[in-house]
Amino acid sequence: MVREFEQKRGDREVDNLFRVIENITEIKDTEIERCKQVGDQALNKANIDLAQALDICSCFGGLEETYKQDATIEDTRHKRKIVWDAFMDGVTAKYSEINSSFEVKEEELRKLYDDFEKKLLV
């Protein structure tokens, strides 16, 4: 049985092992170095991009602190709101005045036409 197993299989396992060792050696010699180079390039680019992003973020942080400390922005915003509210109140008052004036004129015209109609019938 052992002899039959050795004859059928022969040196296939040994040949397969040698091929695997050759493949591993080839990968170790060429592919690992290539992977390192590609990784280094990608990581360097990512590092540069991250440094730029951090610079931008720090600029925004500085601007935010500047505007938070500046109370005049809130004051001017409040003043603009007061002016806007006054403007809207004025518009509403003018609108109401125009509406009442229109109603008065409408009533006057109605009376005028009623008088004309009465005069025409007489």
Side-chain angles (χ1 to χ4, degrees):
M1 184 165 153
V2 171
R3 186 176 32 152
E4 200 171 309
F5 180 74
E6 288 176 356
Q7 286 175 358
K8 285 184 180 179
R9 293 241 168 176
D11 290 333
R12 277 189 284 170
E13 271 72 25
V14 174
D15 290 339
N16 286 340
L17 285 175
F18 280 130
R19 270 186 266 145
V20 168
I21 290 173
E22 286 174 5
N23 288 339
I24 290 174
T25 304
E26 183 180 336
I27 289 172
K28 184 181 107 184
D29 292 342
T30 59
E31 297 298 320
I32 290 178
E33 189 61 36
R34 191 177 64 82
C35 288
K36 281 183 184 179
Q37 289 173 352
V38 170
D40 287 343
Q41 289 172 354
L43 289 175
N44 284 337
K45 181 168 176 16
N47 194 19
I48 290 169
D49 291 345
L50 284 174
Q52 288 175 347
L54 284 172
D55 288 342
I56 291 170
C57 288
S58 66
C59 288
F60 282 130
L63 287 173
E64 183 181 12
E65 288 300 317
T66 302
Y67 285 116
K68 278 185 179 178
Q69 293 172 355
D70 194 7
T72 59
I73 291 176
E74 289 298 321
D75 292 341
T76 54
R77 190 174 289 156
H78 181 66
K79 288 176 184 176
R80 275 194 313 243
K81 184 173 177 3
I82 291 171
V83 169
W84 178 256
D85 290 342
F87 170 75
M88 289 305 292
D89 290 342
V91 168
T92 305
K94 291 283 185 183
Y95 180 73
S96 298
E97 185 180 314
I98 290 171
N99 270 346
S100 64
S101 173
F102 179 76
E103 290 171 359
V104 168
K105 290 290 183 183
E106 185 180 16
E107 188 62 34
E108 287 175 4
L109 285 174
R110 203 173 269 135
K111 285 180 184 178
L112 181 68
Y113 283 112
D114 286 343
D115 287 343
F116 284 152
E117 214 172 284
K118 286 179 186 176
K119 288 179 182 177
L120 283 175
L121 291 177
V122 173

